[in-house]
Amino acid sequence: MTSPHPSSIPDSQLGLSHAEIQILRQHQQIALHPQNYAHSSSTRGRGHVRTSASTSRAASAASSGNGRLVLDPGSLAALGQHFERLMAAIQNRVQQLTAQTQISTINQSSRAGAAMAAADAEIARFRDIIRQIDELETEFDKVRHIRDIVKGFRARVETLERKMDTRGARRLPRQKAQAR
């Protein structure tokens, strides 16, 4: 039995999933009718593909929803060129996103480096403060030790003064008695 459209085959025979068949149908229509999709970025500046009368009939049959893939050379060439443009547009977008990602990564790395430098500076400042506190505590301990020594000397001096006062008070009555 022959196909109703000798230059097309049912797209269900291609081994594609339903979603893939829908994408194929959509892009076949775009490829065969670029004037209807002139706003598409994938066809800008590319011109129109020449189609023959049989291509137009096959395209009409394919786009009419009967689920057939057009096989004539013109339709397949148009579909191939369309997919090449689409792949080029995708590749271009991937390159743009890659460049943006690299820029973002560099900027983030710079910010992270600056943040790390600031953190290192704050850590160094904190360590210097701790060092100064340790020095002050050492000085405080020295002053406390000197204070304790001074207290000890003062206590000795006061004890010696009392002893001298007591001895002087004992001698004073004897001296007065001897002087009389």
Side-chain angles (χ1 to χ4, degrees):
M1 176 170 182
T2 62
S3 170
H5 300 285
S7 61
S8 66
I9 62 168
D11 51 18
S12 59
Q13 291 181 357
L14 298 174
L16 301 174
S17 71
H18 180 71
E20 292 168 332
I21 290 172
Q22 293 301 320
I23 291 170
L24 178 62
R25 287 177 184 168
Q26 175 187 2
H27 287 284
Q28 184 178 16
Q29 288 179 14
I30 293 170
L32 296 175
H33 303 291
Q35 67 278 6
N36 295 340
Y37 302 94
H39 65 278
S40 171
S41 63
S42 63
T43 60
R44 277 190 209 147
R46 306 286 186 198
H48 296 290
V49 176
R50 292 183 187 182
T51 59
S52 67
S54 66
T55 302
S56 295
R57 283 190 305 274
S60 295
S63 64
S64 68
N66 64 1
R68 302 193 66 82
L69 175 64
V70 180
L71 293 179
D72 69 271
S75 296
L76 291 176
L79 187 59
Q81 289 173 356
H82 170 72
F83 277 120
E84 288 298 322
R85 289 189 303 270
L86 185 61
M87 291 300 292
I90 291 169
Q91 183 61 34
N92 184 38
R93 185 64 179 145
V94 167
Q95 289 172 350
Q96 289 174 352
L97 292 174
T98 299
Q100 290 174 1
T101 301
Q102 288 172 343
I103 291 168
S104 177
T105 300
I106 289 168
N107 290 340
Q108 189 64 21
S109 177
S110 296
R111 284 191 294 269
M116 286 177 26
D120 287 344
E122 286 300 313
I123 289 170
R125 188 171 80 76
F126 181 71
R127 286 181 177 157
D128 187 52
I129 290 170
I130 289 174
R131 182 191 53 77
Q132 290 176 20
I133 289 170
D134 289 344
E135 288 175 359
L136 288 173
E137 285 179 348
T138 301
E139 291 299 315
F140 186 71
D141 289 343
K142 288 177 184 177
V143 169
R144 186 182 306 133
H145 181 69
I146 291 170
R147 181 195 69 194
D148 292 344
I149 290 172
V150 168
K151 279 184 182 178
F153 280 135
R154 187 181 331 156
R156 285 183 188 169
V157 167
E158 288 174 357
T159 303
L160 288 175
E161 281 182 351
R162 279 193 299 267
K163 283 183 181 179
M164 289 178 71
D165 285 344
T166 330
R167 283 187 185 166
R170 282 189 219 158
R171 282 190 191 166
L172 207 54
R174 283 187 195 164
Q175 288 175 350
K176 283 184 185 178
Q178 287 175 350
R180 284 189 215 178

